[in-house]
């Protein structure tokens, strides 16, 4: 196995000594060549002081002025090291101090100059922990001694030597996918090999190929991983059903995006009235993938490396092989192992109690979202013949989900009305909030139950002291929020917050309610969205700002597509199978570890020490990489969507569109295109009107108002203004659309409105 320094070091925690044999197993070093490489790396890390050797075993050493960070570089050659620690300063890295590290690499940085009030601290790269660019998109260049590849990403300031190959002569200036064979050594350039010739330019290449090459997405599973799926069976044995609650008799449905035999849902749901008046039991069943995939197996290790499934339109790059998904997904009429959360709710959406059970479930039917929508709205649309309980089941679930939404909003959570949102997992989006549009009723319904299920499981694991991967969503920076408040005031919307030093979820909820009364609701929502920080994985419970939860929120409902969810399932298994339900064997009083009543009634360590320690070490080792992989997935999906939009606009060059100004800078303003001569533009498609195209006057930038103002004609282009623009050109690969103004904007106010403005 090829391993990175980061992967190796993730096996060290605290001051614990680790034997080489343990590392060999964890890193899958099974042949002489990999064992030799591992020993070389250990020797080097010991020599530079990252590891210390003690009686044949190794311990991680830490220095106060050395931090772990990720490089973010510019096309001009300077970089900043971005630390994961909340509130930590970015460290400036000069090009001469990069030590051949590239943009995106994870590195150890030694601080060589402390920062001041006006300047960032300065550092130098001490060690490259993990390379972010094992391959690059590039163009072939003919040089005197052969060929080189020039990366398209202008933040990668190097050229890659290619072995002499006469066939490359015909690919000069073509777009190619180049694998890095050897990274730069001293002054020597990196070496690479052409894996795939994509086309004469980006437009000639396949968009999926471009995104896969750009982000190095794995397209296939190794033979070793596929061989490991051979023993997976879709039929359950009698042993597999042991010690599980039998829920096969409950009427259970699974909602799927589209009808068809290819649907492989990992969640199913059922509802029934309880004997106690006004109470309902909603059971969310999640495929028990942890019961089928053991830790440290080839399938598990590959899932850990991938971190998450990636969705490029209808093309799926799965975290797990098809055989695993088919064996675990809920299929009508077939028994499946599940982890079931049984939630007792009243009519008002109050959670009375819950319990988590290992179960056996048999789904009665799949229902496609469009069909469920038609049933809920009683549209009379034709839907496939379904069992009689479907309609009342959907109706009851919809009503309960609306009550849950009311409870969530009453708690202080907020929603954003965004025009474009791909909700692959049901629940909050990557910036931590639920969106209003364009969710259908069935999607909105499932989101509420998924969010509540994540909340229940996370709080339960936290209360019982069980290790987990929690989902945190930090509060926005107060300075960013205050900037939005000033801009909103310029647009006639006066916002206020409870505390001048801290922003709360309830503040954002109040903002969104005020936005609905403004003509500028869309642009104000975009501004608010831009202040939100991305969600992240953490081994410590913490704030989830978008859902107004103080702590204890953990994803576990998408184990076929997110490795963090699969790990949380393993924690639930540890709790249900190895948890101690009483203080000692002499104690007569027990607690039900499955039930919410256990919370607050435990003052002992629930898990055996070895199980607790193993889970903690495993989660500490992967938590940073899981966040990285999820963010890479978001970038890849956004890239693909951007290519789709740029491709759609390429044929509309010269067309005039109506649009909304969504951002203003000194160099021009951004316009979200809406309707044009030949119909609507794709959702959230932006182009740039550069100041050089504003030929009727000299325009000055007013940053406080986000406005460009003409010196003589007093015409202004202001955030939120409507304009008519013409598409001048489209750069497909960079997804950039250049626009020219045709009409619109507004008249600048007279008087001292802009006095005291600092550009």
């Amino acid at each position: 196995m090829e391993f990175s320094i980061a992967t190796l070091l993730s096996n060290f925690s605290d001051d614990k000594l680790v034997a080489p044999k343990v590392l060999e197993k964890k890193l899958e070093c099974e042949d002489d060549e990999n064992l030799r490489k591992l020993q070389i790396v250990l020797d080097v890390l010991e020599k530079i002081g990252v590891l210390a050797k003690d009686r044949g075993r190794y311990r991680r050493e830490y220095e106060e002025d050395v931090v772990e960070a990720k490089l973010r570089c510019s096309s001009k050659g300077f970089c900043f090291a971005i630390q994961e620690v909340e509130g930590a300063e970015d460290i400036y890295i000069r090009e001469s101090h990069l030590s051949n590290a590239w943009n995106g690499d994870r590195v150890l940085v030694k601080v060589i100059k402390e920062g001041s009030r006006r300047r960032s601290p300065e550092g130098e790269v001490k060690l490259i922990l993990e390379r972010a660019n094992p391959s690059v998109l590039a163009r072939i260049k003919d040089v005197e001694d052969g060929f080189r590849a020039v990366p398209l990403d202008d933040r990668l300031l190097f050229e890659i030597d290619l072995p002499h190959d006469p066939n490359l002569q015909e690919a000069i200036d073509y777009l190619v996918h180049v694998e890095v064979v050897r990274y730069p050594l001293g002054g020597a350039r990196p070496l690479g090999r052409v894996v795939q010739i994509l086309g004469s330019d980006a437009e000639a290449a396949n968009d999926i190929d471009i995104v896969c090459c750009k982000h190095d997405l794995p397209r296939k599973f190794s033979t070793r991983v596929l061989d490991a799926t051979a023993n997976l069976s879709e039929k359950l044995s009698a042993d597999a059903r042991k010690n599980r609650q039998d829920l096969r008799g409950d009427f259970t449905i699974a909602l799927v995006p589209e009808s068809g035999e290819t649907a492989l849902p990992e969640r199913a749901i059922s509802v029934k009235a309880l004997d106690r008046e006004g109470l309902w039991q909603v059971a969310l069943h999640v495929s028990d993938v942890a019961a089928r995939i053991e830790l440290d197996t080839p399938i598990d290790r590959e899932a850990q490396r991938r971190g998450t499934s990636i969705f490029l339109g209808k093309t799926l790059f799965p975290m797990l092989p098809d055989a695993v998904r088919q064996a675990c997904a809920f299929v009508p009429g077939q028994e499946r192992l599940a982890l079931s959360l049984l939630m007792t709710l009243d009519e008002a959406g109050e959670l009375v109690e819950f319990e988590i059970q290992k179960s056996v479930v048999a789904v009665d039917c799949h229902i496609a979202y469009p069909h469920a929508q038609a049933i809920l709205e009683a549209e009379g649309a034709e839907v496939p013949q379904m069992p009689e309980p479907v309609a009342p089941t959907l109706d009851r679930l919809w009503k309960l989900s609306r009550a849950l939404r009311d409870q969530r909003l009453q708690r202080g959570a907020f929603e954003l009305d965004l025009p474009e949102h791909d909700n692959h997992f049901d629940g909050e989006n990557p910036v931590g909030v639920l969106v209003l549009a364009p969710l259908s009723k069935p999607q909105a319904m499932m989101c509420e139950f998924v969010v509540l299920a994540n909340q229940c499981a996370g709080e339960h694991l936290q209360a019982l002291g069980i290790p987990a991967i929690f989902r945190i969503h930090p509060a926005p920076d107060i300075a960013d929020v205050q900037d939005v408040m000033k801009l909103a005031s310029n647009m006639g919307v006066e916002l206020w917050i409870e505390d001048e030093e801290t922003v709360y979820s309830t503040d954002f909820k109040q903002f969104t309610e005020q936005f609905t009364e403004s003509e500028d609701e869309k642009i104000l929502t975009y501004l608010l969205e831009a202040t939100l920080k991305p969600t992240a994985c953490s081994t410590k419970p913490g704030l989830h700002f978008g859902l107004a939860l103080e702590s204890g929120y953990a994803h576990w409902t998408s184990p076929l597509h997110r490795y963090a969810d699969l790990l949380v399932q393993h924690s639930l298994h540890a709790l249900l199978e190895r948890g101690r339900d009483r203080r000692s064997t002499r104690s007569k009083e027990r607690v039900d570890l499955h039930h919410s009543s256990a919370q607050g009634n435990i003052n002992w360590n629930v898990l055996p020490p070895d199980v607790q320690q193993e889970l903690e070490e495993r989660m500490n080792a992967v938590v940073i990489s899981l966040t990285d992989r999820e963010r890479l997935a978001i970038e890849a999906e956004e890239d693909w969507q951007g290519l789709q939009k740029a491709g759609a606009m390429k044929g509309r060059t010269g067309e005039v569109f109506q649009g909304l100004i969504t951002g203003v800078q000194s160099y021009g303003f951004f316009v979200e295109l809406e309707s044009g001569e030949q119909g609507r533009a794709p959702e959230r498609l932006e182009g740039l009107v550069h100041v050089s195209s504003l030929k009727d006057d000299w325009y000055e930038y007013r940053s406080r108002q986000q406005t460009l103002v003409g010196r003589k004609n007093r015409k202004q282009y202001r955030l939120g203004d409507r304009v008519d623009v013409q598409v001048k050109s489209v750069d497909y690969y960079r997804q950039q659309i250049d626009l020219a103004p045709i009409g619109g904007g507004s008249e600048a106010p007279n008087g001292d409105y802009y006095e005291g403005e600092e550009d």
Side-chain angles (χ1 to χ4, degrees), residues 664-667 698-711 753-759:
V664 184
Q665 297 293 334
S666 59
Y667 52 82
W698 180 271
Y699 283 82
E700 296 179 340
Y701 177 51
R702 307 300 185 185
S703 59
R704 291 181 187 174
Q705 290 80 21
Q706 281 217 17
T707 304
L708 285 169
V709 184
R711 282 184 177 180
Y753 182 69
Y754 295 120
E755 284 190 13
E757 173 74 25
E758 294 180 6
D759 291 345

Side-chain angles (χ1 to χ4, degrees), residues 98-102 105 128 131 133 157-161 180-192:
L98 284 173
S99 304
N100 285 325
W102 295 347
D105 288 351
I128 299 171
R131 290 286 190 177
N133 301 278
L157 304 176
F158 54 82
E159 295 180 354
I160 301 175
D161 284 339
V180 179
V181 176
R182 190 206 70 199
Y183 289 95
L185 291 173
R189 280 185 295 270
L191 297 178

Side-chain angles (χ1 to χ4, degrees), residues 70 106 130 132 134 215-218 302-310 537 563 622-637:
K70 179 176 277 193
R106 186 167 292 281
E130 191 163 38
H215 298 281
D216 199 48
L217 304 185
E302 181 63 21
Q304 178 185 322
R305 278 191 286 270
R306 296 186 178 216
T308 181
S309 294
I310 298 175
C537 298
Y563 191 71
V622 303
V623 65
I624 292 177
S625 66
L626 289 181
T627 296
D628 285 346
R629 293 301 298 178
E630 290 184 5
R631 290 180 182 171
L632 179 142
I634 294 167
E635 290 173 7
E637 291 169 19

Side-chain angles (χ1 to χ4, degrees), residues 468-733:
I469 299 290
F470 295 97
R471 183 69 47 163
I472 59 171
H473 186 215
D477 292 333
I478 188 66
D480 293 339
V481 176
Q482 288 171 341
D483 287 343
V484 171
M485 293 171 67
K486 292 173 185 175
L487 290 170
S489 180
N490 294 335
M491 303 171 79
V493 180
E494 298 297 332
L495 305 175
W496 59 273
I497 55 178
E498 296 179 21
D499 188 329
E500 292 298 323
E501 297 182 357
T502 307
V503 61
Y504 297 98
S505 306
T506 48
D507 294 324
F508 271 45
K509 180 173 178 288
Q510 175 66 26
F511 292 171
T512 56
E513 290 171 353
Q514 289 181 252
F515 292 171
T516 60
E517 301 173 2
S518 170
E519 294 180 355
D520 296 312
E521 179 183 5
K522 178 188 279 191
I523 190 66
L524 289 168
T525 301
Y526 288 171
L527 291 173
L528 204 62
E529 180 191 18
T531 68
L532 294 173
K533 298 181 179 180
T535 57
C537 298
S538 174
T539 54
K540 297 178 181 178
L543 173 70
H544 196 296
F545 182 80
L547 298 177
L549 294 171
E550 290 300 319
S551 64
Y553 186 76
H555 286 168
W556 66 285
T557 53
S558 292
L560 288 174
H561 294 291
R562 284 190 302 222
Y563 191 71
D565 298 46
L566 182 53
L567 276 183
V568 173
Q569 280 204 347
H570 281 292
S571 288
L572 290 171
H573 270 274
L575 168 65
L576 302 178
E577 297 167 5
R578 303 290 303 276
R580 296 166 52 226
D581 60 2
R582 50 183 172 166
R583 188 172 183 83
S584 69
T585 54
R586 296 189 296 272
S587 300
K588 295 182 179 180
E589 293 186 7
R590 298 172 180 258
V591 297
D592 186 354
L593 297 176
H594 300 72
H595 199 273
S596 54
S597 61
Q599 298 179 24
N601 292 317
I602 291 177
N603 57 3
W604 61 88
N605 295 326
V606 173
L607 293 181
D610 59 328
V611 176
Q612 179 85 12
Q613 182 177 342
E614 182 183 352
L615 284 173
E616 288 177 351
E617 290 179 355
R618 185 177 299 279
M619 292 179 182
N620 284 326
V622 303
V623 65
I624 292 177
S625 66
L626 289 181
T627 296
D628 285 346
R629 293 301 298 178
E630 290 184 5
R631 290 180 182 171
L632 179 142
I634 294 167
E635 290 173 7
E637 291 169 19
E638 289 177 346
D639 241 351
W640 181 83
Q641 291 166 359
L643 291 173
Q644 298 302 296
K645 293 174 184 178
M649 294 306 295
K650 190 72 176 179
R652 302 178 77 173
T653 303
E655 187 177 343
V656 175
F657 286 83
Q658 295 176 338
L660 176 72
I661 296 180
T662 57
V664 184
Q665 297 293 334
S666 59
Y667 52 82
F669 56 89
F670 294 91
V671 178
E672 180 181 306
L673 304 183
E674 295 176 335
S675 59
E677 300 162 351
Q678 302 172 30
R680 292 195 62 81
E683 293 285 1
R684 296 196 79 170
L685 175 64
E686 284 187 339
L688 173 67
V689 175
H690 196 271
V691 288
S692 61
S693 66
L694 302 176
K695 301 183 183 299
D696 59 337
D697 201 350
W698 180 271
Y699 283 82
E700 296 179 340
Y701 177 51
R702 307 300 185 185
S703 59
R704 291 181 187 174
Q705 290 80 21
Q706 281 217 17
T707 304
L708 285 169
V709 184
R711 282 184 177 180
K712 296 179 181 179
N713 62 18
R714 303 302 295 167
K715 185 176 182 179
Q716 69 176 2
Y717 293 99
R718 164 184 167 274
L719 188 70
D721 278 352
R722 298 277 171 179
V723 291
D724 293 332
V725 292
Q726 184 179 44
V727 178
K728 290 172 58 180
S729 63
V730 178
D731 186 323
Y732 178 75
Y733 176 73

